[in-house]
Amino acid sequence: MKKVILASTSPRRIEIMKMLGIEFEVIGSGFDERTVDLKNPKRLVEALAYEKARLVSEKNPAAIVIGADTIVVLNKRILGKPKDVAEVRRTLRELSGTRHKIITGLAVIDSAGKREFVGSIVSSVKLKNILDKEIESYIATTEPLDRAGSYAVQGVGSMFVEEIKGDFFSIVGLPINILREKLNEFGIKTIV
């Protein structure tokens, strides 16, 4: 069986990968996301996912490499990971009471088989009106400091979520259903 590599050290993506019931390695790509400057959110996450997978694939040409990237989009504006606590406050105040998009890009590269898949999944989340004291309590957990959009739908941030439309695992960071299909197409048998 071919080696499978997840080109991400994200604990959330690693947990989702484990659900597939396959052996895989984790190799962070080290890709500098600031080098990609695209305004279209879908093209951006697809390019980021692809570049992460491509870098790892170049060093592991016999493996199937998976790359992913997730962003939050509010009114056509991309909200990435916050730079600091002040940005967490601003972002959560902006997202409070809104419905916004979560877009995850997925890339699967099999260099040996000369096959690639690149795509993205768009879901939406509606947050409740978040009080300033709730924002401060949430910041104290440190969870929002490393999350696109400054909250985690699968963590403490779930307490702000009123509604989800779309693929939950894509919102978390790795669209497991599409990934399973692609891996099976590339000859990797998953648990189901």
Side-chain angles (χ1 to χ4, degrees), residues 42-55:
K42 285 183 73 161
R43 285 193 178 140
L44 174 64
V45 292
E46 289 173 3
L48 292 172
Y50 181 78
E51 289 302 322
K52 290 174 184 180
R54 184 189 60 76
L55 276 178

Side-chain angles (χ1 to χ4, degrees), residues 83-109:
K83 294 177 188 74
D84 54 29
V85 170
E87 189 172 345
V88 170
R89 282 188 193 99
R90 279 192 308 276
T91 300
L92 289 175
R93 285 180 183 135
E94 279 185 81
L95 292 175
S96 176
T98 70
R99 177 177 305 283
H100 49 278
K101 292 178 184 175
I102 312 287
I103 307 173
T104 294
L106 175 67
V108 183
I109 299 175

Side-chain angles (χ1 to χ4, degrees), residues 7-189:
S8 172
T9 57
S10 159
R12 295 155 305 276
R13 290 190 179 113
I14 293 168
E15 284 304 308
I16 295 170
M17 280 291 295
K18 288 178 181 176
M19 295 169 64
L20 293 168
I22 61 172
E23 289 187 28
F24 66 95
E25 290 182 34
V26 174
I27 301 176
S29 70
F31 180 69
D32 183 358
E33 296 179 10
R34 297 170 297 183
T35 62
V36 177
D37 185 26
L38 296 169
K39 303 302 180 214
N40 180 295
K42 285 183 73 161
R43 285 193 178 140
L44 174 64
V45 292
E46 289 173 3
L48 292 172
Y50 181 78
E51 289 302 322
K52 290 174 184 180
R54 184 189 60 76
L55 276 178
V56 173
S57 182
E58 284 178 353
K59 296 175 185 163
N60 300 275
I64 294 176
V65 181
I66 300 156
D69 195 77
T70 303
I71 59 171
V72 175
V73 179
L74 177 65
N75 300 325
K76 298 183 181 180
R77 195 164 56 87
I78 298 168
L79 304 174
K81 291 180 183 177
K83 294 177 188 74
D84 54 29
V85 170
E87 189 172 345
V88 170
R89 282 188 193 99
R90 279 192 308 276
T91 300
L92 289 175
R93 285 180 183 135
E94 279 185 81
L95 292 175
S96 176
T98 70
R99 177 177 305 283
H100 49 278
K101 292 178 184 175
I102 312 287
I103 307 173
T104 294
L106 175 67
V108 183
I109 299 175
D110 176 5
S111 294
K114 299 189 180 349
R115 293 181 289 187
E116 296 180 346
F117 167 81
V118 180
S120 55
I121 293 82
V122 180
S123 303
S124 72
V125 175
K126 182 175 188 315
L127 296 185
K128 74 178 203 77
N129 289 315
I130 308 170
L131 304 174
D132 282 348
K133 67 180 183 179
E134 292 173 316
I135 290 173
E136 294 307 316
S137 294
Y138 187 44
I139 289 170
T141 71
T142 70
E143 182 180 86
L145 298 173
D146 186 35
R147 314 291 185 184
S150 299
Y151 76 96
V153 73
Q154 79 286 4
V156 178
S158 64
M159 293 182 210
F160 303 141
V161 176
E162 282 188 354
E163 183 180 56
I164 292 174
K165 289 186 177 178
D167 181 339
F168 175 78
F169 290 103
S170 176
I171 293 169
V172 175
L174 193 62
I176 192 169
N177 288 322
I178 292 172
L179 177 56
R180 181 185 63 80
E181 288 174 15
K182 295 303 165 190
L183 288 174
N184 286 330
E185 286 175 17
F186 286 24
I188 302 297
K189 181 73 176 121

